[in-house]
Amino acid sequence: MDMKELSGILRSCGIVGAGGAGFPTYAKLDARAKTIILNCAECEPLLKLHRQLLEKNAWDIMSAFQLIGDAVGADELVIGIKKAYKKTVEALDSYIQEFPKMRIGLLDEVYPAGDEVVLIYEVTGKVVRPGGLPIESGVAVFNVETVYNVFKAVNEGHPVTDKLISVVGEVEHPVTVRVPLGCTVDDVVALAGSVTTKDPVYVLGGPMMGNLASGSQPITKTTNAILVLPRAHTVVQKKCSKASIDLNRAAASCCQCTMCTDLCPRNLLGHPIEPHKFMLAATCKDVQKTEVFLDTMFCSSCGLCEMYSCTQSLSPRTLITEYKGGLRKAGVPVPKDVLPEPVGMERSYRKVPMERLMARLGLTKYNVSAPMDNHCVSMDCVRILLSQHIGAPAIAVVKAGDVVEKGHMIAKPANGLSVGIHASVDGRVRQVTDKFIIIDAVPDGGNLVAPAAEDDTERTKTV
Ligand code: SF4
Ligand code: SF4
C-alpha cells in the first residue's frame, strides 16, 4: 500500500495519536522518515496499557508497523520497549524474524523513557535539535495503540470508536478496559469496582503529566489512564498548586542547588533548558537575560523537576509552563538554529529509576497489575467531542433524531489538519452542537435500523 492510500484510510478512520496531544497519524506519514519507532516505553508510573496490548496482539501490531514502514520507505523499524516488560519482549521475539527490517531497542526502567526526544536518543543515538521535530532527524515515532488502530483500519475497515484505558489507584479492582468514546470518566471508574477512598480525585493520563479531571468529563481518543487518588495525596496537591503561590514560594526557598537542572532529561541531552536559572530570573524578575525565558520553550513538561528533583518541593515545571504559554500567546516564535551541546558522560548515572520515582510520589502501593479486557463495554449514552486531536475540529454530518450505527462517520474532517469522528455506539442522536454530539445508545440496534449506504454521510436516517 502506498503512502497516499494509507494516509486516506487513516484520515477517514479518524486515527490520531492514542495519547498525548492526539496528532493526526496520517500527517506523520513522511518520506523523510528513514527510521520509524514504535513507542512502548509507557513511562508514566502505573500505566499498564501498551505492554499488554502489544503482548496480546504482537503480530497484528508488528505487521501494521511494517506496513507504515513500507509506505514511508523507512530503512529501519525499531520497537522501543523497556527490558522490564519481559512477557511483551518474549511475544515480540517470537515474530521478529518475520520482519527483517525490524529490531527491538531495549530501554531501562527510568522516567521519562517515553519522551520522544529521549526515546530517539536511546534507540538511535540521534539528538533531535532543541525545538525541532523528530522528522528533521529522519525519525517518526508511533504509539502502540495508534498502530493497533492502523491494523484494524487497514484490515477490518474499522474506524476509531473506542479507547483502551487503565483505571488504577484507589479502586477495588484495577483494570484496563475498552470503552466507547464519549462515555464519562465516572462510567469508566465504575468498571474497576468501588472506589476505596472517601474523597476521590481523578487524574487523567498518569501522575507526572496528567491533569485533574471531573467525573463527567467525556473519554476521548487520547485518554489512556484514570488514576484515582485521595484528595490529600502528594500528586493531587502538586497538581492543585497555583503559579502565583509557586512563584512566591520559589522566591522564598529556591536555594539554587541546581538539582532540577542536573536531572532534567532535556538538559542531559544538551538542550539549553536550565530550570534553576529560570527560577532565579523569574523570582528576581530579571528580564535582562532573555534567553533564560526563551529557553523555556525547550522544556518538555515532563515534570521531573517538580515531582522528583527539587529539594525544596518547588514547582519549576508549573512556572515554566506558565511562561511558555505566555510567550506562545504573545506570538514569540520558538528559537531556531539552536544546536544541542554534546551529550555528557553524566547522563548515564543521572537517569531516574521508576522505582525511586514511585516511592518519592507515594505511588508504590498502587503499582499492581491492571489486567486488560479488549472487548468494548457497552454504555447507555455518549457525548462525543468534535475536537479530540491537534488541528481543526471535525464537522458534524448528523442531526438530532438521526439513527446511527457504531462506526458510521458522524463528523467529517475539516479542511487542513483534521480527522473524522465516528459513532461509538448504535443509537439515536439526541443533540448536535459545534463542540459535541450526544447519542443515546439502543442495545443491539433495538428497532432502529439505519440503512446501508456507500457514503458514510448518507448512512444515517431521521426517525
Ligand atoms: S519539566 Fe523540568 S525536568 Fe522536565 S524538561 Fe522541563 S525543565 Fe526539564
Ligand atoms: S532544585 Fe529546587 S531549590 Fe534547587 S535550584 Fe531547582 S528549584 Fe531551586
Side-chain angles (χ1 to χ4, degrees), residues 292-343:
V292 175
F293 293 96
L294 290 174
D295 288 347
T296 59
M297 296 198 198
F298 303 135
C299 165
S300 68
S301 298
C302 73
L304 206 56
C305 48
E306 71 184 29
M307 305 293 268
Y308 182 85
S309 315
C310 183
T311 50
Q312 308 285 349
S313 281
L314 301 177
S315 306
R317 185 255 307 260
T318 302
L319 293 170
I320 285 172
T321 304
E322 185 87 357
Y323 274 80
K324 203 166 46 167
L327 292 173
R328 203 176 296 132
K329 249 191 209 161
V332 179
V334 179
K336 285 195 174 137
D337 307 325
V338 179
L339 294 175
E341 296 288 329
V343 178

Side-chain angles (χ1 to χ4, degrees), residues 190-452:
L191 299 171
S194 53
V195 170
T196 51
T197 186
K198 277 191 182 145
D199 190 9
V201 173
Y202 301 143
V203 178
L204 286 202
M208 296 298 283
M209 297 183 73
N211 296 310
L212 300 179
S214 73
S216 61
Q217 207 161 308
I219 298 303
T220 71
K221 295 177 182 182
T222 61
T223 315
N224 55 9
I226 303 171
L227 174 57
V228 183
L229 291 173
R231 190 168 295 276
H233 195 277
T234 312
V235 169
V236 176
Q237 291 307 306
K238 284 199 179 269
K239 289 185 187 298
C240 287
S241 68
K242 286 201 169 74
S244 54
I245 296 171
D246 287 336
L247 193 60
N248 288 339
R249 289 184 59 235
S253 29
C254 176
C255 61
Q256 288 294 290
C257 66
T258 77
M259 193 63 92
C260 49
T261 297
D262 292 344
L263 298 184
C264 171
R266 292 291 175 101
N267 181 280
L268 287 168
L269 284 174
H271 288 203
I273 169 84
E274 295 178 285
H276 77 286
K277 285 190 183 168
F278 165 81
M279 292 296 263
L280 184 63
T283 52
C284 297
K285 304 201 173 9
D286 180 2
V287 289
Q288 288 186 7
K289 292 176 185 153
T290 50
E291 74 279 359
V292 175
F293 293 96
L294 290 174
D295 288 347
T296 59
M297 296 198 198
F298 303 135
C299 165
S300 68
S301 298
C302 73
L304 206 56
C305 48
E306 71 184 29
M307 305 293 268
Y308 182 85
S309 315
C310 183
T311 50
Q312 308 285 349
S313 281
L314 301 177
S315 306
R317 185 255 307 260
T318 302
L319 293 170
I320 285 172
T321 304
E322 185 87 357
Y323 274 80
K324 203 166 46 167
L327 292 173
R328 203 176 296 132
K329 249 191 209 161
V332 179
V334 179
K336 285 195 174 137
D337 307 325
V338 179
L339 294 175
E341 296 288 329
V343 178
M345 291 290 289
E346 69 280 9
R347 182 177 183 272
S348 59
Y349 55 82
R350 287 191 186 163
K351 294 179 185 176
V352 173
M354 194 64 106
E355 204 180 336
R356 284 297 311 138
L357 179 62
M358 282 196 281
R360 179 76 59 90
L361 293 175
L363 295 172
T364 307
K365 72 170 179 169
Y366 302 123
N367 188 28
V368 295
S369 67
M372 186 174 85
D373 184 349
N374 205 9
H375 297 99
C376 192
V377 175
S378 57
M379 295 283 172
D380 294 339
C381 175
V382 292
R383 182 163 67 97
I384 302 174
L385 299 185
L386 294 174
S387 179
Q388 302 186 30
H389 52 265
I390 283 186
I395 300 165
V397 293
V398 290
K399 58 186 182 305
D402 283 353
V403 172
V404 291
E405 285 180 7
K406 181 173 179 173
H408 285 174
M409 189 179 278
I410 55 173
K412 65 181 182 182
N415 288 333
L417 190 66
S418 186
V419 295
I421 306 264
H422 302 77
S424 59
V425 293
D426 293 332
R428 181 187 284 131
V429 176
R430 188 204 303 172
Q431 189 183 0
V432 179
T433 74
D434 58 347
K435 298 270 189 307
F436 58 80
I437 296 171
I438 297 180
I439 304 172
D440 292 312
V442 179
D444 303 324
N447 56 3
L448 303 174
V449 179

